[in-house]
Amino acid sequence: MISYRKGIVNSILREDENTTWVEVNIDGDLSKAINYNDLTGPVDIGDELILNTTAVELSLGTGGYHFVIFNYSNKDKELEGKGHIMKLRYTPFQLKCLTAEEEDSPYHELFNEFTGLNGSVFIVGTLHSMLAPLASMLKWFKPSLKINYIMTDGGALPIQFSNTVKSLKNKEIIDSTITIGNAFGGDIECVNIYSGLIAAKKILNSDVTIITMGPGIAGTGTKYGFSGIEQGYIIDAVNNLGGTPFIAPRISFKDDRERHRGISHHTLTSLSKACNTKGKLVIPYLTKDKDNLIREQLIAKNLFEKHNIIYEEGSDIIKALDYFNLNVSTMGRDLKEDMDYFITLGAVAKSTFLYLDGEEDV
């Protein structure tokens, strides 16, 4: 179920207010580890740690990092701050948060008085690698846009694990973050997607909000067994509250797995089976043969009837990423290696911008 080892901190690689990246010595072997300061306290050179080594031993996509479970230098920690809502509930790491909607929150009554999103725009994606291209393209088109991010609990749970979020905030591409469900560490905490949507509209006053899971995705190679299926019911949630959902499809022609060729089966399943309401599904212009395959996939899943299909150019994503000096990748492939994936996100962002700017009635 879990593997853990004891290690000694050899050096501090880098740190910020919430997270410390360290090099640890485990029986003479040097490895990297992440310490979440709010969970396990501060860490220093020479500290003796207990490390969760499970993901590295399974060669999972954590960047080769172990995670600190306990630091023998921090044997006691007092409870601090406000809030009564627990995240990571009933685990040894359960932590309390002040969620935006709870009684002690200054925003509590706002949620009781809420009546609707009034058409507010949300881009609903799946992979965390969609966040930077979408946000940078929107900001490149219109620097004054207020762009916020809702991170779901479909991938990594601590938002501090995302270097992408740190970079986008430092570059002032996104303004604020909301973590929902058991995801934690956002500027605003919320219990679920519905209260997250309300917070984006009523607290953060977003022009556009991007919704994706954190780094990582759970997949099993089966039709329904993947965490990205949340895209379907998030689209429904946006519609149920009176918002406007733009859908970011996962499109690639570089994945070796047939089920991810063209429009990924993740997107096709989410939009055809898990989603019960219409969204604005943006499809990029690629080459003729690729466009034909994508069209066949849309027809096969009856998506022309289930959603509003919008075709758009997305090649300006190259200029946007270069302008903000962002190095992006998805599934280990960078911009040049998987251009269609990023052009798709450029098309989604461009279509969203035109809608927000009133230039396109879609």
Side-chain angles (χ1 to χ4, degrees), residues 33 122 180 222 236 298 331 342:
F122 297 83
I180 64 168
T222 61
D236 287 346
L298 294 171
M331 300 296 171
F342 294 102

Side-chain angles (χ1 to χ4, degrees), residues 82-87 89 95-109 111 178-184 186-192 195-196 199 203:
K82 297 180 180 180
H84 296 85
I85 300 300
M86 305 297 283
K87 296 201 175 189
R89 291 180 285 277
L95 69 156
K96 73 175 183 69
C97 301
L98 177 64
T99 62
E101 63 268 54
E102 67 176 284
E103 288 87 345
D104 287 347
S105 167
Y107 306 112
H108 175 68
E109 284 306 316
F111 287 86
I178 300 171
T179 39
I180 64 168
N182 279 296
F184 63 93
D187 297 307
I188 293 176
E189 303 278 6
C190 285
V191 171
N192 59 42
S195 48
I203 299 175

